[in-house]
């Protein structure tokens, strides 16, 4: 034993010696800097905060194991792009589901759960930041849910609480339609639609408070600017924009001004670390040229959609969503797709204006009729974002924040605020005066 050890030691010394003789070569160190973009992407917890796939589950009987078809998201692409967690959007078309918002909400929630049950070897249903981390450790895909549009609660706080109980972890206060308590950027300029005076009614403030208390993230994508600022004044937890981009780069009311980006970064109570803006990939939100071209052909699209609807109505039927989508897609496909670099410009802009801790990803996959930047068709292409960010000098740590770390931080804080509020047993706003949030 001893002799063998000595021989080994001698060999080792010799090898060190010969090494010292060779010309000076910097020893390869495994510092974060030396990681390749692929390694960084592979090691990150990648979280996307918005995909409309549940519409496909319900209306097209789409299964996540199916090929992509016309869509953007399936199990294969999730694995290829190391997507760790998706917030599936529970979006209820307010026109098609008049009178049954809650019913449709339940159908969509159920469809997500059915997919999880069917693919339990690969997907896990998750409702917390720890759950996302646990899924990552087990190499499983975490499925979460966010409601897109406050009309889903049918003006009922008990219904809001039941959605939370079913696992919904964020709610976009409005979709493109204003509801009875919050205004939308989608119809704020339409005088024939009733709007609130101050962005939120007293009941709307109650909703915000109850979401804070429950630990449901407040999503301000889609809301009107006034509703945005009103919400930020009263929320005690930081907010998210689940799928919005930068208005300075593409002037769309769905995007956020620099002032709004900074306001999200400063949202929450006095000790808050602030919220996160998850960049929407939709071509019409990231490219001004695309938006202008899209706007120019809008009258023609509206006419074609109206004709399609009339055709179905004549047969006593409702035009199927998939048909309308196909028609809109045929128009949109005429406009050239913007380059991926334009999407990176938005991430870069938000990181510079709001800070590196306040930007994330909110793809809007399956919600934009395939109108996505060049080369970005599904989660399988997400590593390209990491690659492009690193090419612009973003560190591995910065990338991990953008890819999901920032959202995890906000999610944790929302839960912490919820615990504080539940301990306070504070009366509802409509029972008392609006609460005075300490201003920063
Ligand atoms: Zn949306």
């Amino acid at each position: 034993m001893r002799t063998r050890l000595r021989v080994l030691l001698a060999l080792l010394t010799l090898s060190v010696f010969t090494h010292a003789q060779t010309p000076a070569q910097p020893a390869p160190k495994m510092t974060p800097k030396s990681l390749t973009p692929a390694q960084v992407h592979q090691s990150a917890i990648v979280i996307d905060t918005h995909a409309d796939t549940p519409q496909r589950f319900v209306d097209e009987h789409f299964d996540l194991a199916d090929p992509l078809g016309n869509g953007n998201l399936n199990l294969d692409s999730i694995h290829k792009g190391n997507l760790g967690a998706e917030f599936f959007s529970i979006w209820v078309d307010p026109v098609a589901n008049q009178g049954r918002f809650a019913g449709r909400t339940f159908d969509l929630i159920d469809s997500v759960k059915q997919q999880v049950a069917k693919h339990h070897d690969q997907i896990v249903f998750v409702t917390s930041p720890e759950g996302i981390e646990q899924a990552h450790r087990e190499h499983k895909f975490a499925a979460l849910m966010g409601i897109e549009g406050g009309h889903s609660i049918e003006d009922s706080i008990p219904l809001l609480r039941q959605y939370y109980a079913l696992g919904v972890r964020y709610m976009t206060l409005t979709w493109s339609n204003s509801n009875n308590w919050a205004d939308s950027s989608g119809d704020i300029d339409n005088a024939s639609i009733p709007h609130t005076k101050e962005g939120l009614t007293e009941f709307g403030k109650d909703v915000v408070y109850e979401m804070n208390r429950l630990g449901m993230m407040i999503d301000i994508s889609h809301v009107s600017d006034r509703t945005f600022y009103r919400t930020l004044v009263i929320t005690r937890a930081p907010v998210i924009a689940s799928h919005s981009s930068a208005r300075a780069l593409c002037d769309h009311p769905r995007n956020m001004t620099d002032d709004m980006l900074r306001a999200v970064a400063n949202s929450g109570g006095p000790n808050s670390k602030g919220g996160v803006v998850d960049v929407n990939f939709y071509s019409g939100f990231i490219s001004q040229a695309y938006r202008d071209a899209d706007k120019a052909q809008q009258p023609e699209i509206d006419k074609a959609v109206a004709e399609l609807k009339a055709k179905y109505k004549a047969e006593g039927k409702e035009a199927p969503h998939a048909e309308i989508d196909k028609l809109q897609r045929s128009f949109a496909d005429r406009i050239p797709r913007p380059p991926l670099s334009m999407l990176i410009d938005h991430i870069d802009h938000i990181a510079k204006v709001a800070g590196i801790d306040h930007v994330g990803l909110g793809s809007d996959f399956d919600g934009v009729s395939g109108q996505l930047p060049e080369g970005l068709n599904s989660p399988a292409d997400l590593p390209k974002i990491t690659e492009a960010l690193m090419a612009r000098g973003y560190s591995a740590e910065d990338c991990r924040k953008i890819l999901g770390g920032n959202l995890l931080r906000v999610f944790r804080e929302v839960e912490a605020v919820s615990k504080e509020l539940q301990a306070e047993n504070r009366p509802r706003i409509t029972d008392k005066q609006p609460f005075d949030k300490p201003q920063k």
Side-chain angles (χ1 to χ4, degrees), residues 13 74 84 87 105 110 112-115 138 145-146 166 195 198 209-210 225 243 259 264 277 282 341 357 378 402 434:
T13 325
N74 66 359
F87 281 82
T105 306
D110 182 63
V112 173
K113 297 196 173 186
Q114 290 299 320
Q115 284 297 310
E138 291 173 3
M145 298 184 299
L166 288 172
H195 290 113
E198 299 177 331
Y209 172 72
E210 189 60 13
D225 291 6
H243 59 312
D259 188 62
V264 169
V277 176
Y282 172 48
S341 63
D357 294 320
S378 76
I402 295 168

Side-chain angles (χ1 to χ4, degrees), residues 65-324:
D66 290 345
L68 282 176
N70 258 343
N72 302 122
L73 194 122
N74 66 359
L75 276 172
D76 184 47
S77 64
I78 284 166
H79 295 316
K80 278 187 183 145
N82 188 39
L83 179 60
E86 181 65 67
F87 281 82
F88 285 104
S89 171
I90 306 300
W91 170 73
V92 171
D93 185 329
V95 178
N97 297 282
Q98 196 57 249
R100 62 175 305 265
F101 293 159
R104 176 74 178 179
T105 306
F106 289 128
D107 289 349
L108 292 161
I109 289 173
D110 182 63
S111 76
V112 173
K113 297 196 173 186
Q114 290 299 320
Q115 284 297 310
V116 176
K118 209 168 164 193
H119 304 290
H120 58 88
D121 54 327
Q122 301 172 67
I123 314 177
V124 55
F125 184 71
V126 151
T127 57
S128 67
E130 293 74 27
I132 295 176
E133 287 168 329
Q134 176 75 20
H136 177 75
R137 282 193 293 273
E138 291 173 3
H139 303 285
K140 282 190 173 180
F141 169 65
L144 296 99
M145 298 184 299
I147 285 180
E148 182 174 24
H151 56 285
S152 269
I153 69 166
E154 296 188 350
D155 303 337
S156 159
I157 296 278
L159 200 43
L160 171 70
R161 283 197 275 263
Q162 289 317 303
Y163 292 148
Y164 179 86
L166 288 172
V168 174
R169 285 300 176 268
Y170 78 68
M171 183 167 79
T172 326
L173 298 183
T174 75
W175 180 59
S176 300
N177 57 314
S178 293
N179 53 49
N180 292 333
W181 46 271
D183 301 325
S184 169
S185 63
D187 63 18
I188 192 68
D189 297 325
N190 185 342
S192 69
I193 307 261
H195 290 113
T196 70
K197 276 199 196 76
E198 299 177 331
L200 286 172
T201 63
E202 290 302 292
F203 177 77
K205 292 174 193 169
D206 255 0
V207 172
V208 168
Y209 172 72
E210 189 60 13
M211 288 174 74
N212 281 171
R213 199 191 66 84
L214 287 167
M216 194 188 277
M217 289 183 279
I218 292 167
D219 178 15
I220 48 70
S221 283
H222 280 288
V223 301
S224 73
D225 291 6
R226 188 185 287 251
T227 298
F228 169 86
Y229 285 109
R230 180 62 56 191
T231 303
L232 261 62
V233 168
I234 65 164
T235 181
R236 243 199 267 184
V239 302
I240 65 165
S242 75
H243 59 312
S244 293
S245 303
R247 212 181 288 181
L249 304 185
C250 179
D251 188 17
H252 194 296
R254 272 284 282 106
N255 285 342
M256 309 183 67
T257 65
D258 287 358
D259 188 62
M260 292 164 93
L261 295 174
R262 282 186 285 265
V264 169
N266 286 311
S267 64
N271 300 319
S272 173
K273 295 219 159 52
V276 62
V277 176
D278 296 324
V279 176
N280 192 316
F281 300 178
Y282 172 48
S283 301
F285 292 166
I286 63 164
S287 160
Q288 190 66 48
Y290 184 101
R291 168 154 166 76
D292 293 343
D294 183 52
K295 244 180 152 178
Q297 63 177 7
Q298 200 55 49
E300 212 186 324
I301 301 171
D302 290 345
K303 196 173 154 243
V305 170
E307 277 166 11
L308 180 80
K309 283 183 175 170
K311 196 187 106 197
Y312 272 91
K313 211 175 177 184
E315 297 164 20
K317 285 187 244 167
E318 190 93 49
H321 191 74
E323 280 276 312
I324 299 172

Side-chain angles (χ1 to χ4, degrees), residues 35-41 281 339-349 351-352 356 361 373-376 381-396 398-400 402-403:
L35 292 176
T36 65
Q39 286 169 323
V40 171
H41 191 87
F281 300 178
L340 180 69
S341 63
M342 276 199 176
L343 173 68
I344 309 301
D345 291 344
H346 280 260
I347 299 175
D348 195 37
H349 181 84
K352 288 200 169 96
I356 187 68
L361 307 177
E374 202 71 56
L376 189 51
D381 297 315
L382 292 174
K384 293 178 188 173
I385 294 178
T386 307
E387 200 184 333
L389 286 169
M390 287 183 82
R392 290 198 193 188
Y394 282 82
S395 69
D398 291 343
C399 288
R400 287 196 199 98
I402 295 168
L403 292 170

